[in-house]
Amino acid sequence: MTSVLVVYMTRQGHTARIARRICESIVAAGGEAAMMDLREAAHEGVDWGRHDVVALGAPVLYGSYDRAFLDAVARHAEAIARRPNSFFNVSVVARTPEKATVG
């Protein structure tokens, strides 16, 4: 059975709700899924070897990802790259054209 870990960062809960829905969909399809907030992962560590696939999610606010998310992905790039992976982001409305592109 495939095990998927969804690691996410959220500010107001939207990304967490999407991560939860992803996990529910995986379980409904017969897989195993766990979700972990980025802060929890940093504090408790991640047993990357327990999971076959990793999905990462983060919000984009005014054209940027939070530095803590980018740093965490960089720190764990090797472990992430060793297994199939995916990324999702949640975007809010950008009020100016220069903020509408992720930087």
Side-chain angles (χ1 to χ4, degrees):
M1 184 174 311
T2 300
S3 173
V4 179
L5 174 63
V6 180
V7 179
Y8 65 93
M9 178 181 189
T10 193
R11 288 192 178 179
Q12 296 181 350
H14 302 296
T15 310
R17 284 192 288 280
I18 292 167
R20 188 174 305 108
R21 182 67 181 122
I22 290 169
C23 287
E24 291 168 352
S25 297
I26 291 165
V27 170
E32 293 180 2
M35 57 189 277
M36 186 176 246
D37 182 278
L38 180 72
R39 289 174 292 268
E40 177 187 358
H43 183 263
E44 296 183 17
V46 178
D47 183 359
W48 298 101
R50 280 190 63 212
H51 306 283
D52 305 307
V53 177
V54 64
L56 301 145
V60 175
L61 296 172
Y62 298 105
S64 298
Y65 294 108
D66 190 283
R67 185 94 217 129
F69 184 80
L70 296 174
D71 290 346
V73 171
R75 250 188 337 274
H76 300 290
E78 188 177 315
I80 293 166
R82 276 193 230 126
R83 59 199 35 81
N85 60 75
S86 65
F87 177 77
F88 66 95
N89 66 32
V90 181
S91 300
V92 297
V93 176
R95 292 191 172 101
T96 62
E98 62 274 4
K99 296 293 185 178
T101 303
V102 176

